[in-house]
Amino acid sequence: MDVSVADAPALSGTVGTDVVVVGSGIAGLSVAYELASHGRSVVVLDRGGIGSGMTARTTAHLATALDDGYDALVRVRGHDCARHYYQSVATAIDRAEAIQRIEHIDCDFQRVDGYWVLAPETPASELDQELDCCRKLIIPIENCVEPTPFHAKGQMRSLRFPRQARVHPTKYLAGLASALERRGAKLYADTCVESIHEHHGDTVVTTASGHEVHAADVVVATNSPVNVQVAIHTKQAPYRTYALAAKIAAGALEDALYWDTLDPYHYVRLQPFSADEDIVIIGGEDHKSGEANDGAQRLDALERWARERLPDLREVTHRWSGQVLEPIDFTGFIGRSPDEEHVFIVSGDSGQGITNGLVAGLLVTDLITIGASPWEEVYAPARKIHKNIGELINENITPLKNFAEYLAASEIASVERLRPGEGRLVRSGLKKIAACRDRNGHLHLHSASCTHLGCVVHWNSLEQCWDCPCHGSQFAPDGTALNGPAVSPLGEADKPANLEAAE
Ligand SMILES: Cc1cc2nc3c(=O)[nH]c(=O)nc-3n(C[C@H](O)[C@H](O)[C@H](O)COP(=O)(O)OP(=O)(O)OC[C@H]3O[C@@H](n4cnc5c(N)ncnc54)[C@H](O)[C@@H]3O)c2cc1C
Ligand code: FES
């Protein structure tokens, strides 16, 4: 997806500023906007186009409902954490509503209800527990017994979360980018940050072209932090999620957010399109990144699921996928980067990364301008994960399983057999080679070793990229790093002569 919400040059020299924000998605631009509004000089750097990351792929539900459930959050992190979490997301959505009004951003922002719909596979007690928990936390919620289109036949139970919202994400980002420029902030695209160092009160950001930005504070809003090697990446796991957009007659579906209780869950919302037609955006079919290469089939399954429930759905106009990072203990990582004084990070978005990014705008700005935030502990990046979370064990098995792959046999006998759009792993002695032929027919051979911590990457035929199952790095067919935590491209590899000979 080649997107840019605003024109911006590449950085071409060394500059100084109060704050440098790395990453121009919802998190980066929200933080940049709040800091610029506090009178700070701000430089934003992005390795691609402005707003070209996961925010351009989102379905943009703005929710106070927590996708793992408040009941789970309370059990693991306690009532205070859950209360502060709710305050943070409710305040952040209010703030987005205010910003689009103040800045006159035409971004289809709309307050809507959110329905958490009971699926037949889930016991009703799950809704009872969430209802009870939210009521104790004084979170607005209502028990509903009216069926929605997303209920199975004969079922009608759901929980309604009032005052959720939807927004057009790239229109909102474009508005933020314009507002930033009006406040004197400088935005640079095609500027990949390679390193960030604190040195005697000065923080230096160095780009791949060797330019530097000197700043008092740095905010790393690269979705997956590129400045932290391990500390955060063992506390979150990358999942690929799928979405499609299809037309429907205007008014045929209530303008609301819908999620079901399945795991992985389906998520649906409406996007107004024209006087006659709306667009329904449907998401789901998630799996751990790099552990499946059947994106087209998953999108077909998503479409079938939607058509069974909305028989009047018209043609599908778009199909795509993206990645979310699931924090093991249910809240993102926003705040001071572990062991750093003036470097801040935003990550752990899960399916709520838009709201998470809006929270970051407020939280990081408070930390930089007044040194504290009421929500600091909820999102503290350095927090320890409670040992009673069984999932932690499962998530950390991925790197172990992955390293065993170095010993596995080749997936294809000869790289010459690769068809356009196809990618396979090839063994060459003790090394694994990531071999793919792009859609133009060019053969690319790279080391299959992820440049973050060395896990074996896996081909993703839907998105035509290599996905790393360990911590979510992604690489283009030509080896370029597309998504962190890796920054460097995949290493070059020679054509495996032994395999050619075997043909
Ligand atoms: C299909 C899908 C549906 C989703 N639905 C929802 C939803 O309904 N609600 C919700 O809240 N969330 C949802 N999410 C999650 C949400 O979209 C993301 O979590 C969110 O957009 C992440 O924003 P971000 O600013 O952290 O990252 P991004 O938007 O990815 O921005 C990070 C930026 O950093 C840049 N960057 C990376 N590395 C470097 C570097 N080394 N140097 C310079 N720049 C760099 C990238 O180019 C990128 O532009 C969904 C995600 C997907 C994929
Ligand atoms: S993302 Fe960490 S090893 Fe690949």
Side-chain angles (χ1 to χ4, degrees), residues 6 9 19 40 46 107-108 111 138 171 178 208 224 295 297 306 309 312 405 436 454:
V19 185
R40 300 291 164 111
D46 199 294
C107 59
D108 309 325
R111 288 284 185 177
I138 322 184
K171 289 184 186 174
S178 308
S224 178
Q297 290 92 311
R309 284 149 184 87
D312 296 333
E405 285 187 41
C436 67

Side-chain angles (χ1 to χ4, degrees), residues 18 102 125 135-136 147 311 316 338-339 353 380 401 430 441 467 483 487:
D18 289 338
I102 297 162
S125 57
R135 282 180 174 156
K136 283 188 186 136
V316 170
D339 304 322
K401 236 174 37 188
L430 284 177
D467 286 347
N483 215 58
V487 177

Side-chain angles (χ1 to χ4, degrees), residues 115-163:
Y115 293 95
W116 197 32
V117 174
L118 186 68
E121 296 84 347
T122 319
S125 57
E126 204 167 299
L127 293 194
D128 296 334
Q129 284 162 3
E130 186 66 1
L131 183 64
D132 187 44
C133 178
C134 287
R135 282 180 174 156
K136 283 188 186 136
L137 292 166
I138 322 184
I139 292 173
I141 191 166
E142 210 176 277
N143 188 33
C144 288
V145 288
E146 292 290 309
T148 72
F150 304 102
H151 277 101
K153 209 161 178 257
Q155 288 215 312
M156 47 191 64
R157 182 87 194 282
S158 60
L159 297 181
R160 187 175 70 88
F161 290 82
R163 281 181 64 74

Side-chain angles (χ1 to χ4, degrees), residues 23 26-27 46-47 54-55 58-61 193 223 349 351-354:
I26 188 70
D46 199 294
R47 79 163 142 208
M54 288 304 147
T55 308
T58 192
T59 57
H61 296 213
V193 169
N223 194 231
D349 48 19
Q352 312 217 224
I354 299 297

Side-chain angles (χ1 to χ4, degrees), residues 242-499:
Y242 297 83
L244 57 87
K247 291 189 179 160
I248 197 166
L253 177 67
E254 181 191 339
D255 190 359
L257 311 182
Y258 305 88
W259 319 279
D260 65 19
T261 49
L262 293 175
D263 183 17
Y265 63 96
H266 295 95
Y267 47 99
V268 181
R269 80 162 172 95
L270 205 74
Q271 173 67 36
F273 179 64
S274 68
D276 305 325
E277 285 184 312
D278 290 331
I279 286 179
V280 191
I281 304 174
I282 302 137
E285 289 289 329
D286 304 13
H287 61 82
K288 203 100 178 273
S289 292
E291 291 195 349
N293 184 20
D294 55 359
Q297 290 92 311
R298 284 174 191 262
L299 284 163
D300 290 346
L302 204 52
E303 185 176 342
R304 274 196 305 278
W305 179 88
R307 289 196 186 282
E308 277 164 20
R309 284 149 184 87
L310 299 170
D312 296 333
L313 206 60
R314 297 178 183 169
E315 79 272 18
V316 170
T317 56
H318 298 84
R319 291 163 40 117
W320 70 97
S321 80
Q323 183 170 270
V324 295
L325 298 164
E326 286 293 339
I328 282 161
D329 63 352
F330 312 133
T331 64
F333 302 101
I334 308 172
R336 207 163 256 112
S337 189
D339 304 322
E340 307 273 8
E341 189 62 25
H342 293 285
V343 182
F344 300 82
I345 60 168
V346 186
S347 195
D349 48 19
S350 81
Q352 312 217 224
I354 299 297
T355 321
N356 206 57
L358 300 173
V359 170
L362 301 172
L363 200 167
V364 174
T365 300
D366 275 356
L367 293 181
I368 290 177
T369 57
I370 56 176
S373 157
W375 312 320
E376 222 171 317
E377 281 185 26
V378 176
Y379 297 96
R383 69 180 182 267
K384 292 215 163 38
I385 304 291
H386 288 249
K387 292 220 168 51
N388 59 351
I389 300 188
E391 263 178 63
L392 173 64
I393 300 156
N394 292 334
E395 303 297 14
N396 276 338
I397 282 171
T398 302
L400 294 177
K401 236 174 37 188
N402 185 279
F403 283 118
E405 285 187 41
Y406 277 104
L407 304 174
S410 297
E411 290 179 356
I412 192 167
S414 167
V415 294
E416 300 304 334
R417 289 192 187 160
L418 286 170
R419 292 184 299 261
E422 201 180 7
R424 293 292 178 92
L425 293 173
V426 181
R427 185 148 164 208
S428 175
L430 284 177
K431 292 187 184 151
K432 276 271 157 129
I433 292 176
C436 67
R437 195 177 293 284
D438 65 29
R439 287 194 167 134
N440 296 322
H442 298 302
L443 181 67
H444 301 272
L445 299 175
H446 290 94
S447 160
S449 179
C450 171
T451 53
H452 174 227
L453 293 176
C455 286
V456 176
V457 295
H458 292 181
W459 181 245
N460 178 334
S461 46
L462 180 75
E463 296 294 347
Q464 295 285 292
C465 66
W466 293 100
D467 286 347
C468 180
C470 288
H471 315 107
S473 293
Q474 291 162 16
F475 301 88
D478 69 0
T480 308
L482 298 172
N483 215 58
V487 177
S488 314
L490 292 174
E492 290 299 327
D494 294 332
K495 205 176 215 178
N498 53 334
L499 288 171

